[in-house]
Amino acid sequence: ELGAILLLFAVGIEFSISRIFKSSFRAVLVTAFKMSVLFIIGYEAALYFGLDLTSALFVGAMLSITSTAILFKIVAQKGMGKNPMLPLLFSMLIVEDIAAVAALTFFSSLGGGVSAITYEDKFYSVLVSLGLLGAFYVLIRKPAAHAILRLTSTLSEEVMIFVSFSLCLVMSMVAGFLGLSPAIGAFLAGSIVSSLPNSRRIEREIKPLLLMFASLFFLSLGMQIDPSVILANLPFTLAISAVFVAVCFASVYSLLYTTGASSKDALFGASAMVVLGEFSLLIASIAKDEHAPLLLAAGSFGVVATAIVSSFLLDRQQALLALGQRRMPISLRNAARSLSTYFSGLLRDFSPSGGFWRVSNACWKCAR
């Protein structure tokens, strides 16, 4: 639990909530469609294998998230760190991480399985708790940032680490008091730290400690996984991983291509994004019903298997591109190109810097 809290604190430091509003409109749109498709397909696949409603919701959420850490590690090791698609993928992963934190908040209330309390009641209680936590976050954000800035600019590195972790502790305790996962409060504490001018210095100083606890978190998760559960449910684990790879690859490629990316760039983005995320393991770890061991085993198997598949696809970009060009009919290729031109223009017009927003702002100013 401590590892999960510090892992979310590290994510909050690296991905500020305020950056979500600065992310490209295209990244938000593509990620929303990609996560929706994966959630629905994962949910239906889980129901097909006989899982109950709650477990199917867990599976859908697990399959809708791509790993940030593994993706950038694989890309860096293959010398592809300067690919022009990486800024867009980075923005997409920011959106996914925010959505994953929201999902973690909701699923922490479903961790005990179905009870006499309805899903509507749980959803309402989560909204109320999130509202209270958000109000506390708004109230404490500026005073806390000001205090941290004063302390860390004049005092030693030890005080910098102590103050940052103290804020993480306070926000985690408030989240736990409101009935939410303490990791949610840690994420908000990390977002406060990330808004500071010296946030990179703070991140650099505390990163070794965060990595140590994150390693212990994944070690503890691994110790909960029973290999016999994977072997006993091998068709399910293989099917879930295959569904994620196929649907994620197809949806990301289609969405990137139809929103203006070339075939080569869309293929790179699709190949890099087919890695199941560490947030999937976090979500699986809070399940408490009889299917909890199966969810954790399937998630861990999926993370390893999809990382291997992503590495394989990235190594064979040229071969895959040539194969697609040979097999795709010319009429279908022309239709896809026309569709890409249309949606690219539509996206450009409806983006915050496009013509639609400029006209809307002008009309709003006149009306006001």
Side-chain angles (χ1 to χ4, degrees):
E1 186 175 8
L2 182 59
I5 289 171
L6 294 178
L7 180 64
L8 266 292
F9 182 57
V11 171
I13 292 177
E14 191 168 354
F15 301 132
S16 170
I17 289 180
S18 61
R19 293 183 191 176
I20 189 67
F21 300 108
K22 299 178 182 178
S23 298
S24 66
F25 180 74
R26 180 186 178 192
V28 175
L29 195 64
V30 170
T31 306
F33 275 100
K34 175 246 183 188
M35 295 187 74
S36 300
V37 170
L38 282 168
F39 179 85
I40 294 170
I41 297 297
Y43 172 81
E44 294 294 339
L47 291 179
Y48 175 80
F49 278 93
L51 272 66
D52 56 64
L53 176 61
T54 302
S55 298
L57 290 173
F58 271 92
V59 172
M62 289 166 58
L63 295 193
S64 61
I65 302 167
T66 296
S67 173
T68 302
I70 300 176
L71 185 154
F72 281 101
K73 196 71 174 177
I74 292 175
V75 169
Q77 287 180 348
K78 294 186 178 299
M80 301 176 179
K82 294 184 179 180
N83 190 285
M85 285 299 293
L86 280 179
L88 177 62
L89 298 183
F90 183 76
S91 298
M92 290 173 61
L93 291 169
I94 292 175
V95 179
E96 281 198 12
D97 284 336
I98 301 297
V101 170
L104 189 64
T105 304
F106 177 72
F107 283 103
S108 63
S109 69
L110 299 182
V114 181
S115 62
I117 303 175
T118 64
Y119 288 107
E120 291 80 2
D121 291 335
K122 289 183 177 181
F123 185 69
Y124 175 73
S125 65
V126 167
L127 283 181
V128 172
S129 300
L130 275 177
L132 293 173
L133 183 62
F136 181 79
Y137 171 79
V138 170
L139 289 174
I140 199 177
R141 184 168 61 92
K142 288 187 177 180
H146 182 67
I148 293 174
L149 188 60
R150 289 189 61 183
L151 288 170
T152 56
S153 61
T154 57
L155 299 178
S156 63
E157 295 176 354
E158 291 83 358
V159 175
M160 180 191 304
I161 296 174
F162 177 77
V163 172
S164 300
F165 280 121
S166 297
L167 178 63
C168 175
L169 175 64
V170 170
M171 293 296 293
S172 299
M173 290 175 66
V174 172
F177 176 76
L178 294 174
L180 301 171
S181 171
I184 308 304
F187 178 82
L188 294 177
S191 72
I192 294 175
V193 174
S194 70
S195 64
L196 302 175
N198 58 349
S199 61
R200 293 305 171 206
R201 182 186 167 204
I202 297 175
E203 180 185 3
R204 186 171 60 252
E205 296 298 334
I206 67 176
K207 193 169 185 178
L209 190 60
L210 295 175
L211 288 176
M212 183 186 71
F213 277 102
S215 301
L216 291 175
F217 164 74
F218 287 112
L219 175 64
S220 65
L221 277 184
M223 292 169 66
Q224 296 178 35
I225 297 168
D226 186 357
S228 63
V229 175
I230 298 178
L231 294 175
N233 299 276
L234 196 58
F236 174 75
T237 54
L238 287 174
I240 289 299
S241 300
V243 164
F244 172 78
V245 170
V247 176
C248 184
F249 184 89
S251 60
V252 172
Y253 180 87
S254 303
L255 289 166
L256 290 178
Y257 184 78
T258 54
T259 54
S262 64
S263 297
K264 181 179 180 181
D265 290 340
L267 182 62
F268 170 80
S271 301
M273 291 288 284
V274 292
V275 184
L276 201 63
E278 55 271 10
F279 269 110
S280 302
L281 296 179
L282 271 172
I283 292 174
S285 68
I286 61 179
K288 302 299 180 186
D289 59 9
E290 67 273 12
H291 295 297
L294 174 60
L295 296 180
L296 190 57
S300 62
F301 178 86
V303 169
V304 176
T306 55
I308 295 172
V309 171
S310 177
S311 179
F312 177 84
L313 293 174
L314 287 172
D315 283 336
R316 287 157 179 80
Q317 294 285 286
Q318 295 299 329
L320 291 173
L321 193 62
L323 179 64
Q325 291 175 346
R326 285 199 310 269
R327 295 296 178 88
M328 181 178 288
I330 296 178
S331 58
L332 183 60
R333 195 183 310 168
N334 292 333
R337 195 173 292 120
S338 301
L339 199 65
S340 173
T341 303
Y342 171 74
F343 277 108
S344 299
L346 195 66
L347 191 67
R348 187 167 52 251
D349 289 338
F350 280 86
S351 65
S353 60
F356 175 79
W357 283 96
R358 287 200 301 269
V359 173
S360 300
N361 288 334
C363 292
W364 169 246
K365 288 180 181 178
C366 292
R368 189 176 57 185

